[in-house]
Coordinates of all heavy atoms in Angstrom, one line a residue:
L1434 N -148.6 168.5 144.5 CA -148.2 169.2 143.3 C -147.4 168.2 142.4 O -146.4 167.6 142.9 CB -147.4 170.4 143.6 CG -146.8 171.2 142.4 CD1 -147.9 171.7 141.5 CD2 -145.9 172.3 142.9
I1436 N -145.2 168.3 138.9 CA -144.6 169.1 137.8 C -144.0 168.2 136.8 O -143.3 167.3 137.1 CB -143.5 170.0 138.4 CG1 -144.2 171.0 139.4 CG2 -142.8 170.8 137.3 CD1 -143.2 172.0 140.0
R1456 N -152.8 168.9 141.9 CA -152.4 170.2 141.3 C -151.3 169.9 140.3 O -150.4 169.0 140.5 CB -151.8 171.2 142.3 CG -152.9 171.6 143.3 CD -152.3 172.7 144.3 NE -151.3 172.2 145.1 CZ -150.1 172.8 145.4 NH1 -149.9 174.0 144.8 NH2 -149.2 172.3 146.2
V1457 N -151.3 170.5 139.1 CA -150.3 170.2 138.1 C -149.7 171.5 137.5 O -150.3 172.5 137.5 CB -150.9 169.4 136.9 CG1 -151.4 168.0 137.4 CG2 -152.1 170.1 136.3
H1458 N -148.5 171.3 137.0 CA -147.8 172.4 136.3 C -146.8 171.9 135.3 O -146.0 171.0 135.7 CB -147.1 173.4 137.3 CG -146.8 174.7 136.7 ND1 -147.7 175.8 136.7 CD2 -145.7 175.1 135.9 CE1 -147.1 176.8 136.1 NE2 -145.9 176.4 135.6
G1459 N -146.8 172.4 134.1 CA -145.9 171.9 133.1 C -144.8 172.9 132.8 O -144.9 174.1 133.0
V1460 N -143.6 172.3 132.5 CA -142.5 173.2 132.0 C -142.2 172.7 130.6 O -141.8 171.5 130.4 CB -141.3 173.0 132.9 CG1 -140.1 173.9 132.4 CG2 -141.6 173.4 134.4
E1471 N -152.0 174.8 127.7 CA -152.7 175.8 128.4 C -154.2 175.8 128.0 O -155.1 175.9 128.8 CB -152.1 177.2 128.1 CG -150.8 177.5 128.8 CD -151.0 178.1 130.2 OE1 -152.2 178.3 130.6 OE2 -150.0 178.3 130.9
I1475 N -154.0 173.0 131.3 CA -152.8 172.7 132.1 C -151.9 173.9 132.1 O -151.3 174.3 131.1 CB -152.1 171.5 131.3 CG1 -153.0 170.3 131.1 CG2 -150.8 171.1 132.1 CD1 -153.6 169.7 132.4
P1476 N -151.7 174.5 133.3 CA -150.9 175.6 133.5 C -149.4 175.3 133.1 O -148.9 174.2 133.6 CB -151.0 176.1 134.9 CG -151.6 174.9 135.6 CD -152.4 174.1 134.6
T1477 N -148.8 176.1 132.2 CA -147.5 175.7 131.7 C -146.6 176.9 131.7 O -147.0 178.0 131.2 CB -147.7 175.1 130.3 OG1 -148.6 174.0 130.3 CG2 -146.3 174.6 129.7
T1478 N -145.3 176.7 132.1 CA -144.3 177.7 132.0 C -143.5 177.4 130.8 O -143.0 176.3 130.6 CB -143.4 177.7 133.3 OG1 -144.2 178.0 134.4 CG2 -142.2 178.6 133.1
V1479 N -143.3 178.4 129.9 CA -142.5 178.2 128.7 C -141.1 178.5 129.0 O -140.6 179.6 129.1 CB -143.0 179.2 127.6 CG1 -142.2 179.0 126.3 CG2 -144.5 179.0 127.3
A1480 N -140.3 177.4 129.1 CA -138.9 177.5 129.5 C -138.2 176.2 129.4 O -138.9 175.1 129.5 CB -138.8 178.0 130.9
L1482 N -136.0 173.9 131.8 CA -135.8 173.9 133.3 C -134.4 174.2 133.6 O -133.5 173.5 133.2 CB -136.3 172.6 133.9 CG -136.2 172.6 135.4 CD1 -137.3 173.4 136.0 CD2 -136.2 171.2 135.9
A1485 N -132.8 178.7 137.9 CA -133.5 179.9 138.2 C -135.0 179.7 138.0 O -135.9 180.1 138.8 CB -133.0 181.0 137.2
V1486 N -135.4 179.0 136.9 CA -136.8 178.6 136.7 C -137.3 177.8 137.8 O -138.4 178.0 138.3 CB -136.9 177.9 135.3 CG1 -138.3 177.3 135.2 CG2 -136.6 178.8 134.2
A1487 N -136.5 176.9 138.3 CA -136.9 176.0 139.4 C -137.2 176.8 140.7 O -138.2 176.6 141.4 CB -135.8 174.9 139.7
R1488 N -136.3 177.7 141.0 CA -136.5 178.6 142.2 C -137.8 179.4 142.1 O -138.5 179.5 143.1 CB -135.3 179.5 142.4 CG -134.0 178.8 143.0 CD -133.0 179.8 143.5 NE -132.5 180.6 142.4 CZ -131.4 180.2 141.6 NH1 -130.8 179.1 141.8 NH2 -131.0 181.0 140.6
D1489 N -138.0 179.9 140.9 CA -139.2 180.7 140.7 C -140.5 179.9 140.9 O -141.4 180.3 141.6 CB -139.2 181.3 139.3 CG -140.4 182.1 139.0 OD1 -140.8 183.0 139.8 OD2 -141.1 181.7 138.0
L1490 N -140.5 178.6 140.4 CA -141.7 177.8 140.5 C -141.9 177.4 142.0 O -143.0 177.3 142.5 CB -141.5 176.5 139.6 CG -141.6 176.8 138.1 CD1 -141.2 175.5 137.3 CD2 -143.0 177.2 137.7
R1491 N -140.7 177.1 142.6 CA -140.8 176.7 144.0 C -141.4 177.8 144.9 O -142.3 177.5 145.8 CB -139.4 176.3 144.5 CG -139.3 176.1 146.0 CD -139.6 174.6 146.3 NE -139.6 174.4 147.8 CZ -139.1 173.3 148.4 NH1 -138.6 172.4 147.6 NH2 -139.1 173.2 149.7
Q1492 N -141.0 179.0 144.6 CA -141.5 180.1 145.3 C -143.0 180.3 145.1 O -143.8 180.6 146.0 CB -140.8 181.4 144.9 CG -140.5 182.4 146.0 CD -139.4 183.3 145.6 OE1 -139.2 183.6 144.4 NE2 -138.7 183.8 146.6
R1493 N -143.4 180.2 143.8 CA -144.8 180.4 143.5 C -145.8 179.3 144.0 O -146.9 179.6 144.4 CB -145.0 180.6 142.0 CG -144.5 182.0 141.5 CD -144.2 182.0 140.0 NE -145.4 181.7 139.2 CZ -145.3 181.2 137.9 NH1 -144.1 181.0 137.4 NH2 -146.4 181.0 137.2
F1494 N -145.3 178.1 143.8 CA -146.3 177.0 144.1 C -145.9 176.1 145.3 O -146.7 175.2 145.6 CB -146.4 176.1 142.8 CG -146.8 176.9 141.6 CD1 -145.9 177.1 140.5 CD2 -148.0 177.5 141.5 CE1 -146.2 177.8 139.4 CE2 -148.4 178.2 140.4 CZ -147.5 178.4 139.3
G1495 N -144.8 176.3 145.9 CA -144.4 175.4 147.0 C -143.7 174.1 146.4 O -143.5 174.0 145.2
P1496 N -143.3 173.2 147.4 CA -142.6 172.0 146.9 C -143.5 171.0 146.2 O -144.7 170.9 146.5 CB -142.1 171.4 148.3 CG -143.1 171.9 149.3 CD -143.5 173.3 148.8
A1497 N -142.9 170.4 145.2 CA -143.6 169.3 144.4 C -143.5 168.0 145.1 O -142.5 167.7 145.7 CB -143.1 169.2 143.0
T1521 N -134.5 171.2 143.5 CA -135.0 172.5 144.0 C -136.6 172.4 144.0 O -137.2 172.9 144.9 CB -134.5 173.7 143.1 OG1 -133.1 173.7 143.2 CG2 -135.1 175.0 143.6
L1522 N -137.1 171.8 143.0 CA -138.6 171.7 142.9 C -139.2 170.8 143.9 O -140.3 171.0 144.3 CB -139.0 171.2 141.5 CG -138.7 172.0 140.3 CD1 -139.0 171.3 139.0 CD2 -139.5 173.3 140.3

Side-chain angles (χ1 to χ4, degrees):
L1434 172 65
I1436 295 180
R1456 295 184 295 137
V1457 295
H1458 196 90
V1460 181
E1471 285 274 357
I1475 306 299
T1477 304
T1478 296
V1479 181
L1482 182 72
V1486 170
R1488 280 193 299 275
D1489 176 56
L1490 289 172
R1491 171 84 184 221
Q1492 217 161 28
R1493 283 162 60 202
F1494 303 113
T1521 300
L1522 293 174

